[in-house]
Amino acid sequence: MNREGRKIIQPVISNLFFAGIFLLLLSGCHGGTKYSLSTATLNPEPTRTDTPTILAEITSTPTPTPLVFDTIPILVTQGPISISTVSPDDPKYIYKDTIVKFPNIDWNSAVFVNLDELTDSDPKNGDFVIYIDSGSIGTTFELYPTNFARYHYSGKKVMDDVSCAEIFPKTLKEEFEQYSLNPRMEGFLITGKVYCILTNKGHMATVSMTDDTQYPDSQGNVTIVLKITVYSKTEDELFIPAPSPTPGPSPTPTTRYSNRGIGNDQAKYLDESIQKFIDAMSSTDKLALSDMIDYPFEIRLIYNHLEIVHLENSNDFLKNFDKIFPEKCIKQFAGTTLINNVSSYPGAIILELNGDEIRFTDEGKIQDISFKNCPR
């Protein structure tokens, strides 16, 4: 299923709740693109003025940095950004109507933002990451909270800390329900409507994409422009502090899912579930595959004139099996292995081969199918 038709559900939330805080992800689909963990050294540091001022570009030098928490890392290399900022007289704000611009970004990459301190581009402090993916169906922008930050899509053009707090999920049940009501929440960034984001320091922020955002130019570069307001007040009723770092050396990850805060028992279950999928592909076991789908399910067949297939149950899956799994794809994924083809990163657990992907939830269910190459 392609990114415009994908449904975002529970796995990222349950993962970060397991780590000690609510979150969404994932699931971001990014064509198997690999990013390097880095920090960004900012030079020069912008100064705040009483009137909006566009500052010089802040250049970054990627250098490896360990994560503070054993949670989902931001696996991106940050590029140059520019910031227009106002230091408001009102102590209510940390930033007010600040414009953050990411120019000349590659069509298939990512950027991150630390809302509590916009000039601090160390990824371990980032509050959200935006994945950019351009392909035959256009360009998508997907926002995922990171490092124990949380978010809620308002669906409105104007919001503040009070209105955000009113609609923000306050229980685990509400956290799950928002993704059921808005299954494509990550894809709403292009609407320009506000995301309410609770930072990893407990401040409410409003984030929206502006009309100045530019889609791929002749060189394939994208420019993202965000409008950001961050409030000084700590939202004590909503904020659950992240766990403190454990003294002593950081534990060595023991599974391919360790960077998602998934324990060994659940990792074993995931391995068994994904291996079950590989085995079912090897034997073309349609019934076994139908039981692995996380219904309701929607897939856009980008190789078949962008046809959209809606699946409510296993009967729908079986009727559309040949459309969903072309013979070439079945043969290709029958040859995959856990060691060589499974990876996990922000918002996703993916079985990938040659740019084609099967995405799994933390519970081992199939939540996304994206075949771009193997059907041909």
Side-chain angles (χ1 to χ4, degrees), residues 177-192:
E177 284 179 347
Q178 69 171 326
Y179 308 112
S180 175
L181 295 172
N182 298 312
R184 291 185 57 249
M185 185 173 295
E186 283 71 23
F188 291 156
L189 193 64
I190 60 174
T191 65

PDB file of all heavy atoms in Angstrom, residues 177-192:
ATOM      1  N   GLU A 177      -7.524   5.812  19.934  1.00  0.00           N
ATOM      2  CA  GLU A 177      -8.689   6.190  19.149  1.00  0.00           C
ATOM      3  C   GLU A 177      -8.361   7.247  18.098  1.00  0.00           C
ATOM      4  O   GLU A 177      -8.963   7.265  17.025  1.00  0.00           O
ATOM      5  CB  GLU A 177      -9.796   6.693  20.073  1.00  0.00           C
ATOM      6  CG  GLU A 177     -10.518   5.588  20.829  1.00  0.00           C
ATOM      7  CD  GLU A 177     -11.582   6.125  21.760  1.00  0.00           C
ATOM      8  OE1 GLU A 177     -11.592   7.360  21.997  1.00  0.00           O
ATOM      9  OE2 GLU A 177     -12.395   5.326  22.248  1.00  0.00           O
ATOM     10  N   GLN A 178      -7.410   8.140  18.394  1.00  0.00           N
ATOM     11  CA  GLN A 178      -7.132   9.192  17.418  1.00  0.00           C
ATOM     12  C   GLN A 178      -6.600   8.625  16.109  1.00  0.00           C
ATOM     13  O   GLN A 178      -6.831   9.183  15.041  1.00  0.00           O
ATOM     14  CB  GLN A 178      -6.140  10.211  17.997  1.00  0.00           C
ATOM     15  CG  GLN A 178      -4.731   9.699  18.195  1.00  0.00           C
ATOM     16  CD  GLN A 178      -3.775  10.829  18.567  1.00  0.00           C
ATOM     17  OE1 GLN A 178      -3.930  11.960  18.115  1.00  0.00           O
ATOM     18  NE2 GLN A 178      -2.789  10.527  19.396  1.00  0.00           N
ATOM     19  N   TYR A 179      -5.913   7.487  16.157  1.00  0.00           N
ATOM     20  CA  TYR A 179      -5.395   6.897  14.931  1.00  0.00           C
ATOM     21  C   TYR A 179      -6.456   6.082  14.208  1.00  0.00           C
ATOM     22  O   TYR A 179      -6.391   5.902  13.000  1.00  0.00           O
ATOM     23  CB  TYR A 179      -4.162   6.048  15.256  1.00  0.00           C
ATOM     24  CG  TYR A 179      -3.164   6.841  16.040  1.00  0.00           C
ATOM     25  CD1 TYR A 179      -2.897   6.543  17.356  1.00  0.00           C
ATOM     26  CD2 TYR A 179      -2.533   7.936  15.460  1.00  0.00           C
ATOM     27  CE1 TYR A 179      -2.018   7.312  18.091  1.00  0.00           C
ATOM     28  CE2 TYR A 179      -1.659   8.712  16.188  1.00  0.00           C
ATOM     29  CZ  TYR A 179      -1.396   8.393  17.504  1.00  0.00           C
ATOM     30  OH  TYR A 179      -0.532   9.163  18.220  1.00  0.00           O
ATOM     31  N   SER A 180      -7.455   5.626  14.947  1.00  0.00           N
ATOM     32  CA  SER A 180      -8.591   4.959  14.310  1.00  0.00           C
ATOM     33  C   SER A 180      -9.435   5.979  13.562  1.00  0.00           C
ATOM     34  O   SER A 180      -9.923   5.721  12.460  1.00  0.00           O
ATOM     35  CB  SER A 180      -9.429   4.238  15.364  1.00  0.00           C
ATOM     36  OG  SER A 180     -10.591   3.688  14.788  1.00  0.00           O
ATOM     37  N   LEU A 181      -9.595   7.165  14.158  1.00  0.00           N
ATOM     38  CA  LEU A 181     -10.402   8.209  13.527  1.00  0.00           C
ATOM     39  C   LEU A 181      -9.661   8.858  12.371  1.00  0.00           C
ATOM     40  O   LEU A 181     -10.256   9.270  11.381  1.00  0.00           O
ATOM     41  CB  LEU A 181     -10.772   9.274  14.568  1.00  0.00           C
ATOM     42  CG  LEU A 181     -11.686   8.809  15.700  1.00  0.00           C
ATOM     43  CD1 LEU A 181     -11.811   9.910  16.748  1.00  0.00           C
ATOM     44  CD2 LEU A 181     -13.052   8.422  15.166  1.00  0.00           C
ATOM     45  N   ASN A 182      -8.331   8.979  12.500  1.00  0.00           N
ATOM     46  CA  ASN A 182      -7.509   9.628  11.478  1.00  0.00           C
ATOM     47  C   ASN A 182      -6.415   8.662  11.027  1.00  0.00           C
ATOM     48  O   ASN A 182      -5.262   8.807  11.417  1.00  0.00           O
ATOM     49  CB  ASN A 182      -6.875  10.910  12.021  1.00  0.00           C
ATOM     50  CG  ASN A 182      -7.922  11.926  12.432  1.00  0.00           C
ATOM     51  OD1 ASN A 182      -8.851  12.186  11.685  1.00  0.00           O
ATOM     52  ND2 ASN A 182      -7.781  12.490  13.607  1.00  0.00           N
ATOM     53  N   PRO A 183      -6.753   7.646  10.256  1.00  0.00           N
ATOM     54  CA  PRO A 183      -5.767   6.604   9.931  1.00  0.00           C
ATOM     55  C   PRO A 183      -4.581   7.094   9.126  1.00  0.00           C
ATOM     56  O   PRO A 183      -3.574   6.420   9.064  1.00  0.00           O
ATOM     57  CB  PRO A 183      -6.593   5.586   9.132  1.00  0.00           C
ATOM     58  CG  PRO A 183      -7.765   6.360   8.604  1.00  0.00           C
ATOM     59  CD  PRO A 183      -8.061   7.385   9.642  1.00  0.00           C
ATOM     60  N   ARG A 184      -4.668   8.299   8.512  1.00  0.00           N
ATOM     61  CA  ARG A 184      -3.542   8.808   7.740  1.00  0.00           C
ATOM     62  C   ARG A 184      -3.014  10.103   8.360  1.00  0.00           C
ATOM     63  O   ARG A 184      -2.646  11.040   7.686  1.00  0.00           O
ATOM     64  CB  ARG A 184      -3.945   9.064   6.284  1.00  0.00           C
ATOM     65  CG  ARG A 184      -4.223   7.814   5.484  1.00  0.00           C
ATOM     66  CD  ARG A 184      -4.497   8.124   4.020  1.00  0.00           C
ATOM     67  NE  ARG A 184      -3.394   8.854   3.421  1.00  0.00           N
ATOM     68  CZ  ARG A 184      -3.473  10.138   3.049  1.00  0.00           C
ATOM     69  NH1 ARG A 184      -4.556  10.828   3.254  1.00  0.00           N
ATOM     70  NH2 ARG A 184      -2.436  10.725   2.486  1.00  0.00           N
ATOM     71  N   MET A 185      -2.959  10.145   9.655  1.00  0.00           N
ATOM     72  CA  MET A 185      -2.614  11.367  10.360  1.00  0.00           C
ATOM     73  C   MET A 185      -1.279  11.953   9.906  1.00  0.00           C
ATOM     74  O   MET A 185      -1.121  13.155   9.751  1.00  0.00           O
ATOM     75  CB  MET A 185      -2.564  11.105  11.865  1.00  0.00           C
ATOM     76  CG  MET A 185      -2.335  12.358  12.696  1.00  0.00           C
ATOM     77  SD  MET A 185      -2.484  12.020  14.449  1.00  0.00           S
ATOM     78  CE  MET A 185      -4.202  11.582  14.565  1.00  0.00           C
ATOM     79  N   GLU A 186      -0.283  11.113   9.663  1.00  0.00           N
ATOM     80  CA  GLU A 186       1.030  11.622   9.285  1.00  0.00           C
ATOM     81  C   GLU A 186       1.000  12.371   7.959  1.00  0.00           C
ATOM     82  O   GLU A 186       1.801  13.250   7.713  1.00  0.00           O
ATOM     83  CB  GLU A 186       2.033  10.468   9.202  1.00  0.00           C
ATOM     84  CG  GLU A 186       2.522   9.993  10.555  1.00  0.00           C
ATOM     85  CD  GLU A 186       1.451   9.252  11.336  1.00  0.00           C
ATOM     86  OE1 GLU A 186       0.516   8.724  10.715  1.00  0.00           O
ATOM     87  OE2 GLU A 186       1.539   9.216  12.565  1.00  0.00           O
ATOM     88  N   GLY A 187       0.070  12.008   7.092  1.00  0.00           N
ATOM     89  CA  GLY A 187       0.010  12.626   5.777  1.00  0.00           C
ATOM     90  C   GLY A 187      -0.709  13.959   5.735  1.00  0.00           C
ATOM     91  O   GLY A 187      -0.828  14.559   4.680  1.00  0.00           O
ATOM     92  N   PHE A 188      -1.208  14.452   6.872  1.00  0.00           N
ATOM     93  CA  PHE A 188      -1.980  15.681   6.886  1.00  0.00           C
ATOM     94  C   PHE A 188      -1.109  16.935   6.915  1.00  0.00           C
ATOM     95  O   PHE A 188      -1.635  18.043   6.910  1.00  0.00           O
ATOM     96  CB  PHE A 188      -2.914  15.711   8.101  1.00  0.00           C
ATOM     97  CG  PHE A 188      -4.033  14.709   8.032  1.00  0.00           C
ATOM     98  CD1 PHE A 188      -4.644  14.251   9.187  1.00  0.00           C
ATOM     99  CD2 PHE A 188      -4.475  14.229   6.819  1.00  0.00           C
ATOM    100  CE1 PHE A 188      -5.682  13.337   9.131  1.00  0.00           C
ATOM    101  CE2 PHE A 188      -5.505  13.309   6.747  1.00  0.00           C
ATOM    102  CZ  PHE A 188      -6.116  12.861   7.907  1.00  0.00           C
ATOM    103  N   LEU A 189       0.198  16.782   6.953  1.00  0.00           N
ATOM    104  CA  LEU A 189       1.076  17.948   7.038  1.00  0.00           C
ATOM    105  C   LEU A 189       0.851  18.910   5.874  1.00  0.00           C
ATOM    106  O   LEU A 189       0.895  20.127   6.031  1.00  0.00           O
ATOM    107  CB  LEU A 189       2.530  17.494   7.082  1.00  0.00           C
ATOM    108  CG  LEU A 189       3.568  18.544   7.468  1.00  0.00           C
ATOM    109  CD1 LEU A 189       3.340  19.019   8.886  1.00  0.00           C
ATOM    110  CD2 LEU A 189       4.976  17.985   7.316  1.00  0.00           C
ATOM    111  N   ILE A 190       0.579  18.368   4.694  1.00  0.00           N
ATOM    112  CA  ILE A 190       0.434  19.202   3.501  1.00  0.00           C
ATOM    113  C   ILE A 190      -0.831  20.063   3.533  1.00  0.00           C
ATOM    114  O   ILE A 190      -0.966  20.973   2.732  1.00  0.00           O
ATOM    115  CB  ILE A 190       0.431  18.352   2.218  1.00  0.00           C
ATOM    116  CG1 ILE A 190      -0.735  17.358   2.228  1.00  0.00           C
ATOM    117  CG2 ILE A 190       1.754  17.637   2.037  1.00  0.00           C
ATOM    118  CD1 ILE A 190      -0.894  16.590   0.933  1.00  0.00           C
ATOM    119  N   THR A 191      -1.751  19.793   4.456  1.00  0.00           N
ATOM    120  CA  THR A 191      -2.970  20.590   4.542  1.00  0.00           C
ATOM    121  C   THR A 191      -2.702  21.982   5.095  1.00  0.00           C
ATOM    122  O   THR A 191      -3.527  22.888   4.927  1.00  0.00           O
ATOM    123  CB  THR A 191      -4.009  19.913   5.441  1.00  0.00           C
ATOM    124  OG1 THR A 191      -3.511  19.871   6.790  1.00  0.00           O
ATOM    125  CG2 THR A 191      -4.315  18.504   4.958  1.00  0.00           C
ATOM    126  N   GLY A 192      -1.572  22.173   5.768  1.00  0.00           N
ATOM    127  CA  GLY A 192      -1.290  23.447   6.403  1.00  0.00           C
ATOM    128  C   GLY A 192      -2.009  23.629   7.723  1.00  0.00           C
ATOM    129  O   GLY A 192      -1.876  24.671   8.379  1.00  0.00           O
TER     130      GLY A 192
END
